[in-house]
Amino acid sequence: MAKHYPTHPNNKSTFMTIKRLSTASHTISRLLTATSAALWTTLATAQIPTLPQMPIPSDISQAINSVMAVNYGSDYDKLRGCTLYHRKETFDNDGSDYVFEDSYCIAPIKYQVEEVNGDTRLYLLTSGYVYDGKSGNAYPGIGGLFELYKMGSSWVVSASDPFIYTGGAGISQLHDFNLSQVGDDKYAWTGKHCGGKGGQSGCLWMMYASIDGKIKPVAEIDSDYHNEIARKSIYREGEGHVTHERYKPMTGGFYPLTVTIESTSVNYRTDKEIAPRTTDISTYEYDKTKQQFELVK
């Protein structure tokens, strides 16, 4: 399986993140993903969804506003309905400084409140896109993940990663992630990072969880792929699905994962399968020492 790796802002490769997914088995009915008129207003031109119109509790509204201001600044754009984050980095270029600048339109996309080990936790996802014209494939989008806990009437950040670079053409793929129950008392964000080039593409199923006060990618599992062989007029494709095994023993507080990938080869001129369809089933368990899910069988 071909693997592609995350595009960084100063990496001009057009390949995007692809590693070692599918739809998480835990459906979150309260995950909120619609257009906001109450806390955050947006137009269709903003390209990203924001929080729903339904009233948001004032303490959560204040917590979200605080997270946005602390991590992305206070340059709020009413027209776009997002916070404008202005990124500037200086790199050494053969002894002279090279200044890299870009600007992102970032908004809160999803939030959810859960009870974890007797504490009330708030999970927040932000996502955005480049808005300053730099929309080539080399430019990923920015997204952020945050975990907060309730202290009295206030919310306190317990883990975060405000700058997760994914996608291409300046648009983040993080907005498609969902919060899943990944252990008896553990929640994490799961979804796909996908990309490709030259007849080859693929996806990584990712899990981002709170580990030691940070949001970390604890699972990167090869999932969907599509490899074209033009000289033979065929392509090989695989589609993956990940299941959280809630009734099996946990490791490090995480349920084990069952990864099922169905593969086939197709003649793309006739759309006929030219090889038997195969099913590969693998099991992954969390390794506390590596802080990663590892293949066990």
Side-chain angles (χ1 to χ4, degrees), residues 189-250:
W189 294 93
T190 61
K192 295 181 182 181
H193 292 335
C194 302
K197 182 183 179 183
Q200 300 187 31
S201 62
C203 297
L204 287 178
W205 185 85
M206 304 282 295
M207 181 191 297
Y208 289 95
S210 170
I211 304 291
D212 298 332
K214 297 181 179 179
I215 301 294
K216 297 182 178 181
V218 297
E220 300 179 338
I221 300 174
D222 288 319
S223 177
D224 309 340
Y225 66 90
H226 177 112
N227 300 327
E228 183 177 307
I229 305 176
R231 67 180 183 277
K232 296 183 178 181
S233 299
I234 67 173
Y235 64 83
R236 299 188 179 97
E237 64 179 2
E239 183 176 352
H241 177 79
V242 174
T243 303
H244 302 274
E245 300 295 348
R246 296 189 221 166
Y247 304 107
K248 294 184 179 179
M250 294 183 293

Coordinates of all heavy atoms in Angstrom, one line a residue, residues 189-250:
W189 N -11.2 11.8 19.5 CA -11.6 12.2 18.2 C -11.1 11.3 17.1 O -9.9 10.9 17.1 CB -11.2 13.6 17.8 CG -11.8 14.7 18.7 CD1 -11.3 15.2 19.9 CD2 -13.1 15.3 18.5 NE1 -12.1 16.1 20.4 CE2 -13.2 16.2 19.6 CE3 -14.1 15.3 17.6 CZ2 -14.4 17.0 19.8 CZ3 -15.2 16.1 17.7 CH2 -15.3 16.9 18.8
T190 N -12.0 10.7 16.3 CA -11.6 9.8 15.2 C -12.1 10.2 13.9 O -13.1 10.9 13.7 CB -12.1 8.4 15.5 OG1 -13.6 8.4 15.6 CG2 -11.6 7.9 16.9
G191 N -11.3 9.9 12.9 CA -11.7 10.3 11.5 C -10.5 9.9 10.5 O -9.6 9.3 10.9
K192 N -10.7 10.4 9.3 CA -9.7 10.1 8.3 C -8.9 11.3 7.8 O -9.4 12.4 7.7 CB -10.4 9.5 7.0 CG -11.1 8.2 7.2 CD -11.7 7.8 5.9 CE -12.4 6.5 6.1 NZ -13.0 6.0 4.8
H193 N -7.6 11.1 7.5 CA -6.8 12.1 6.8 C -6.5 11.4 5.4 O -6.0 10.3 5.4 CB -5.5 12.4 7.5 CG -5.6 13.2 8.7 ND1 -6.7 14.0 9.0 CD2 -4.8 13.2 9.8 CE1 -6.6 14.5 10.2 NE2 -5.4 14.1 10.7
C194 N -6.9 12.0 4.3 CA -6.7 11.4 3.0 C -6.0 12.3 2.1 O -5.9 13.5 2.2 CB -8.1 11.1 2.4 SG -9.2 10.1 3.4
G195 N -5.4 11.7 1.0 CA -4.8 12.5 0.0 C -4.2 11.6 -1.1 O -4.3 10.4 -1.0
G196 N -3.6 12.2 -2.1 CA -3.0 11.4 -3.1 C -2.5 12.2 -4.3 O -2.6 13.4 -4.3
K197 N -1.9 11.5 -5.3 CA -1.3 12.1 -6.4 C -0.9 11.1 -7.5 O -0.5 10.0 -7.1 CB 0.0 12.9 -6.1 CG 0.6 13.7 -7.2 CD 1.9 14.4 -6.8 CE 2.5 15.1 -7.9 NZ 3.8 15.7 -7.5
G198 N -1.1 11.4 -8.7 CA -0.6 10.6 -9.8 C -1.2 9.2 -9.8 O -0.5 8.2 -10.1
G199 N -2.5 9.1 -9.6 CA -3.2 7.8 -9.7 C -3.2 7.0 -8.5 O -3.7 5.9 -8.4
Q200 N -2.6 7.5 -7.4 CA -2.5 6.8 -6.1 C -3.1 7.7 -5.0 O -2.8 8.9 -5.0 CB -1.1 6.5 -5.8 CG -0.4 5.6 -6.8 CD 1.0 5.1 -6.3 OE1 1.2 5.0 -5.1 NE2 1.9 4.9 -7.2
S201 N -3.9 7.1 -4.2 CA -4.5 7.9 -3.1 C -4.8 6.9 -1.9 O -4.7 5.7 -2.1 CB -5.8 8.5 -3.5 OG -6.8 7.6 -3.9
G202 N -5.0 7.5 -0.8 CA -5.3 6.6 0.4 C -5.7 7.5 1.6 O -5.6 8.7 1.5
C203 N -6.1 6.8 2.6 CA -6.5 7.4 3.8 C -5.8 6.7 5.1 O -5.6 5.5 5.1 CB -8.0 7.4 4.0 SG -8.9 8.2 2.7
L204 N -5.6 7.5 6.1 CA -5.2 7.1 7.4 C -6.4 7.2 8.3 O -7.0 8.3 8.3 CB -4.1 7.9 8.0 CG -2.7 7.7 7.4 CD1 -1.7 8.6 8.1 CD2 -2.3 6.2 7.6
W205 N -6.8 6.2 9.0 CA -7.7 6.4 10.1 C -7.0 6.9 11.3 O -5.9 6.2 11.7 CB -8.4 5.1 10.4 CG -9.5 5.2 11.4 CD1 -10.8 5.6 11.2 CD2 -9.4 4.9 12.8 NE1 -11.5 5.6 12.4 CE2 -10.7 5.2 13.4 CE3 -8.4 4.5 13.7 CZ2 -11.0 5.0 14.8 CZ3 -8.7 4.3 15.0 CH2 -9.9 4.6 15.6
M206 N -7.4 8.0 11.9 CA -6.7 8.6 13.0 C -7.5 8.6 14.3 O -8.7 8.8 14.2 CB -6.3 10.0 12.6 CG -5.5 10.2 11.3 SD -3.8 9.7 11.5 CE -3.2 11.0 12.6
M207 N -6.8 8.5 15.4 CA -7.5 8.8 16.7 C -6.6 9.8 17.5 O -5.4 9.6 17.6 CB -7.6 7.5 17.5 CG -8.3 7.7 18.9 SD -8.2 6.3 20.0 CE -9.1 5.0 19.1
Y208 N -7.2 10.9 17.9 CA -6.6 11.9 18.7 C -7.1 11.8 20.1 O -8.3 12.0 20.3 CB -6.8 13.3 18.1 CG -6.1 13.6 16.8 CD1 -6.7 13.4 15.6 CD2 -4.7 14.0 16.8 CE1 -6.0 13.7 14.4 CE2 -4.1 14.3 15.7 CZ -4.7 14.1 14.5 OH -4.1 14.4 13.3
A209 N -6.3 11.6 21.1 CA -6.7 11.4 22.5 C -5.9 12.3 23.4 O -4.8 12.7 23.1 CB -6.6 10.0 22.9
S210 N -6.4 12.5 24.6 CA -5.7 13.3 25.6 C -4.7 12.4 26.3 O -5.1 11.4 27.0 CB -6.7 13.9 26.6 OG -6.1 14.4 27.8
I211 N -3.4 12.7 26.2 CA -2.4 11.9 26.9 C -1.4 12.9 27.5 O -0.8 13.8 26.9 CB -1.6 11.1 25.9 CG1 -2.5 10.1 25.1 CG2 -0.5 10.3 26.6 CD1 -3.2 9.0 25.9
D212 N -1.3 12.8 28.9 CA -0.3 13.6 29.6 C -0.5 15.1 29.3 O 0.5 15.8 29.1 CB 1.1 13.2 29.3 CG 1.4 11.8 29.7 OD1 0.7 11.3 30.7 OD2 2.3 11.1 29.1
G213 N -1.7 15.6 29.3 CA -2.0 17.0 29.1 C -1.9 17.5 27.7 O -1.9 18.7 27.5
K214 N -1.7 16.6 26.8 CA -1.7 17.0 25.4 C -2.6 16.2 24.5 O -2.9 15.0 24.9 CB -0.3 16.9 24.8 CG 0.8 17.8 25.5 CD 2.1 17.6 24.8 CE 3.2 18.5 25.5 NZ 4.5 18.3 24.9
I215 N -3.1 16.7 23.4 CA -3.9 15.9 22.5 C -2.9 15.3 21.5 O -2.2 16.0 20.8 CB -4.9 16.8 21.7 CG1 -5.9 17.4 22.7 CG2 -5.7 15.9 20.7 CD1 -6.8 16.4 23.5
K216 N -2.9 14.0 21.4 CA -1.9 13.3 20.6 C -2.5 12.3 19.6 O -3.6 11.7 20.0 CB -0.9 12.5 21.5 CG -0.1 13.4 22.4 CD 0.9 12.6 23.2 CE 1.8 13.4 24.1 NZ 2.8 12.6 24.9
P217 N -1.9 12.1 18.5 CA -2.4 11.1 17.5 C -2.0 9.7 18.0 O -0.8 9.3 17.8 CB -1.8 11.5 16.2 CG -0.5 12.2 16.6 CD -0.8 12.9 17.9
V218 N -2.9 9.0 18.7 CA -2.5 7.7 19.3 C -2.8 6.5 18.3 O -2.3 5.4 18.6 CB -3.2 7.4 20.6 CG1 -2.9 8.5 21.6 CG2 -4.8 7.4 20.4
A219 N -3.4 6.7 17.2 CA -3.6 5.7 16.2 C -3.5 6.3 14.8 O -4.1 7.3 14.5 CB -5.0 5.0 16.4
E220 N -2.7 5.6 14.0 CA -2.6 6.0 12.5 C -2.6 4.7 11.7 O -1.6 4.0 11.6 CB -1.3 6.8 12.3 CG -1.2 8.1 13.1 CD 0.1 8.8 12.9 OE1 1.1 8.2 12.5 OE2 0.2 10.0 13.1
I221 N -3.7 4.4 11.2 CA -3.9 3.0 10.6 C -4.3 3.1 9.2 O -5.2 3.8 8.8 CB -5.0 2.3 11.4 CG1 -4.7 2.1 12.9 CG2 -5.3 0.9 10.8 CD1 -5.7 1.5 13.7
D222 N -3.6 2.4 8.3 CA -3.9 2.4 6.9 C -5.3 1.9 6.7 O -5.8 0.9 7.2 CB -2.9 1.4 6.2 CG -1.5 1.9 6.0 OD1 -1.4 3.1 5.8 OD2 -0.6 1.1 6.2
S223 N -6.0 2.7 5.8 CA -7.4 2.4 5.6 C -7.7 2.3 4.1 O -7.1 1.5 3.4 CB -8.3 3.4 6.2 OG -9.6 3.2 6.0
D224 N -8.4 3.2 3.6 CA -8.8 3.2 2.1 C -7.6 3.5 1.3 O -6.7 4.3 1.6 CB -9.9 4.2 1.9 CG -11.1 4.1 2.8 OD1 -11.2 3.0 3.4 OD2 -11.8 5.0 3.0
Y225 N -7.5 2.8 0.1 CA -6.5 3.2 -0.8 C -7.0 2.9 -2.3 O -7.9 2.1 -2.5 CB -5.2 2.4 -0.6 CG -5.3 0.9 -0.8 CD1 -5.1 0.3 -2.0 CD2 -5.7 0.0 0.3 CE1 -5.2 -1.1 -2.2 CE2 -5.8 -1.3 0.1 CZ -5.6 -1.9 -1.1 OH -5.7 -3.2 -1.3
H226 N -6.3 3.5 -3.2 CA -6.7 3.4 -4.6 C -5.4 3.6 -5.4 O -4.8 4.7 -5.4 CB -7.7 4.5 -5.0 CG -8.0 4.4 -6.5 ND1 -9.3 4.1 -7.0 CD2 -7.3 4.7 -7.6 CE1 -9.3 4.1 -8.3 NE2 -8.1 4.6 -8.7
N227 N -4.9 2.5 -6.1 CA -3.6 2.6 -6.8 C -3.9 2.2 -8.3 O -4.4 1.1 -8.6 CB -2.6 1.5 -6.3 CG -2.3 1.8 -4.8 OD1 -2.2 3.0 -4.4 ND2 -2.0 0.8 -4.1
E228 N -3.6 3.1 -9.2 CA -3.9 2.9 -10.6 C -2.7 2.5 -11.3 O -1.6 3.1 -11.1 CB -4.5 4.3 -11.2 CG -4.8 4.1 -12.6 CD -5.4 5.4 -13.2 OE1 -6.4 5.9 -12.5 OE2 -4.9 5.9 -14.2
I229 N -2.8 1.5 -12.2 CA -1.7 1.0 -13.1 C -2.2 1.3 -14.5 O -2.9 0.4 -15.1 CB -1.4 -0.4 -12.8 CG1 -1.1 -0.7 -11.4 CG2 -0.2 -0.9 -13.7 CD1 -0.9 -2.1 -11.0
A230 N -1.8 2.4 -15.1 CA -2.4 2.9 -16.3 C -2.0 1.9 -17.5 O -2.9 1.7 -18.4 CB -1.9 4.3 -16.6
R231 N -0.8 1.4 -17.5 CA -0.4 0.6 -18.6 C -1.2 -0.7 -18.7 O -1.2 -1.3 -19.8 CB 1.1 0.3 -18.5 CG 1.5 -0.6 -17.4 CD 3.0 -0.8 -17.3 NE 3.4 -1.7 -16.3 CZ 3.6 -1.3 -15.0 NH1 3.5 -0.1 -14.7 NH2 4.0 -2.2 -14.1
K232 N -1.8 -1.1 -17.6 CA -2.6 -2.3 -17.6 C -4.1 -2.0 -17.5 O -4.9 -2.9 -17.4 CB -2.2 -3.2 -16.4 CG -0.8 -3.7 -16.5 CD -0.5 -4.7 -15.3 CE 0.9 -5.2 -15.4 NZ 1.2 -6.2 -14.3
S233 N -4.5 -0.7 -17.5 CA -5.9 -0.3 -17.4 C -6.6 -0.9 -16.2 O -7.8 -1.3 -16.3 CB -6.6 -0.7 -18.7 OG -6.0 -0.1 -19.8
I234 N -5.9 -1.0 -15.1 CA -6.5 -1.5 -13.9 C -6.2 -0.6 -12.7 O -5.3 0.2 -12.7 CB -6.0 -2.9 -13.5 CG1 -4.5 -2.9 -13.1 CG2 -6.3 -3.9 -14.7 CD1 -4.0 -4.2 -12.6
Y235 N -7.0 -0.7 -11.7 CA -6.7 -0.1 -10.4 C -7.1 -1.1 -9.3 O -7.9 -1.9 -9.4 CB -7.5 1.2 -10.2 CG -9.0 1.2 -10.2 CD1 -9.6 0.8 -9.0 CD2 -9.8 1.4 -11.3 CE1 -11.0 0.8 -8.9 CE2 -11.1 1.4 -11.2 CZ -11.8 1.1 -10.0 OH -13.1 1.0 -10.0
R236 N -6.3 -0.9 -8.2 CA -6.5 -1.7 -7.0 C -7.1 -0.8 -6.0 O -6.6 0.3 -5.8 CB -5.2 -2.4 -6.5 CG -4.6 -3.3 -7.5 CD -3.4 -4.1 -6.9 NE -2.8 -5.0 -7.8 CZ -1.8 -4.8 -8.6 NH1 -1.2 -3.6 -8.5 NH2 -1.3 -5.7 -9.4
E237 N -8.1 -1.2 -5.3 CA -8.7 -0.4 -4.3 C -9.0 -1.2 -3.0 O -9.3 -2.4 -3.1 CB -10.0 0.3 -4.8 CG -11.1 -0.7 -5.1 CD -12.3 0.1 -5.6 OE1 -12.3 1.3 -5.7 OE2 -13.4 -0.6 -5.9
G238 N -9.0 -0.5 -1.9 CA -9.3 -1.2 -0.6 C -10.2 -0.2 0.2 O -9.9 1.0 0.1
E239 N -11.1 -0.7 0.9 CA -12.0 0.1 1.8 C -11.9 -0.5 3.2 O -12.2 -1.6 3.4 CB -13.4 0.1 1.3 CG -14.3 1.0 2.1 CD -15.7 1.1 1.5 OE1 -15.9 0.6 0.4 OE2 -16.6 1.7 2.2
G240 N -11.6 0.4 4.2 CA -11.4 -0.1 5.5 C -12.5 0.4 6.5 O -13.2 1.4 6.3
H241 N -12.6 -0.4 7.5 CA -13.6 -0.1 8.6 C -13.0 -0.5 9.9 O -12.3 -1.5 10.1 CB -14.9 -0.9 8.4 CG -15.9 -0.7 9.4 ND1 -16.7 0.4 9.5 CD2 -16.2 -1.5 10.5 CE1 -17.5 0.3 10.5 NE2 -17.2 -0.8 11.2
V242 N -13.2 0.4 10.9 CA -12.6 0.2 12.2 C -13.7 0.0 13.3 O -14.7 0.8 13.3 CB -11.7 1.3 12.6 CG1 -11.2 1.2 14.1 CG2 -10.5 1.4 11.7
T243 N -13.6 -1.0 14.1 CA -14.6 -1.2 15.2 C -13.9 -1.1 16.5 O -12.8 -1.7 16.7 CB -15.2 -2.6 15.0 OG1 -15.8 -2.7 13.7 CG2 -16.2 -2.9 16.1
H244 N -14.5 -0.4 17.5 CA -14.0 -0.4 18.9 C -14.6 -1.6 19.6 O -15.8 -1.7 19.7 CB -14.5 0.9 19.5 CG -14.0 2.2 18.9 ND1 -12.8 2.7 19.1 CD2 -14.6 3.0 17.9 CE1 -12.6 3.8 18.4 NE2 -13.7 4.0 17.7
E245 N -13.7 -2.5 20.1 CA -14.2 -3.7 20.7 C -14.4 -3.4 22.2 O -13.6 -3.7 23.0 CB -13.1 -4.8 20.5 CG -12.9 -5.2 19.0 CD -14.1 -5.8 18.3 OE1 -15.1 -6.1 19.0 OE2 -14.0 -5.9 17.1
R246 N -15.6 -3.0 22.5 CA -16.0 -2.6 23.9 C -16.1 -3.7 24.9 O -16.0 -3.5 26.1 CB -17.3 -1.8 23.9 CG -17.2 -0.5 23.1 CD -18.5 0.3 23.3 NE -18.9 0.9 22.1 CZ -20.1 1.4 21.9 NH1 -21.0 1.4 22.9 NH2 -20.5 2.0 20.8
Y247 N -16.2 -4.9 24.4 CA -16.4 -6.1 25.3 C -15.2 -6.9 25.5 O -15.2 -7.9 26.1 CB -17.6 -6.9 24.8 CG -18.8 -6.1 24.7 CD1 -19.3 -5.8 23.4 CD2 -19.5 -5.6 25.8 CE1 -20.5 -5.0 23.2 CE2 -20.7 -4.9 25.6 CZ -21.1 -4.6 24.3 OH -22.3 -3.8 24.2
K248 N -14.1 -6.4 25.0 CA -12.8 -7.1 25.2 C -11.9 -6.3 26.1 O -12.1 -5.1 26.4 CB -12.1 -7.2 23.8 CG -12.8 -8.2 22.9 CD -12.0 -8.4 21.6 CE -12.8 -9.3 20.6 NZ -12.0 -9.6 19.4
P249 N -10.9 -6.9 26.8 CA -10.1 -6.3 27.8 C -9.4 -5.0 27.2 O -8.9 -5.1 26.1 CB -9.1 -7.3 28.2 CG -9.7 -8.6 27.9 CD -10.6 -8.4 26.7
M250 N -9.4 -3.9 28.0 CA -8.8 -2.7 27.5 C -7.3 -2.8 27.8 O -6.8 -3.5 28.7 CB -9.4 -1.5 28.2 CG -10.8 -1.2 27.9 SD -11.5 0.3 28.7 CE -11.5 -0.2 30.4

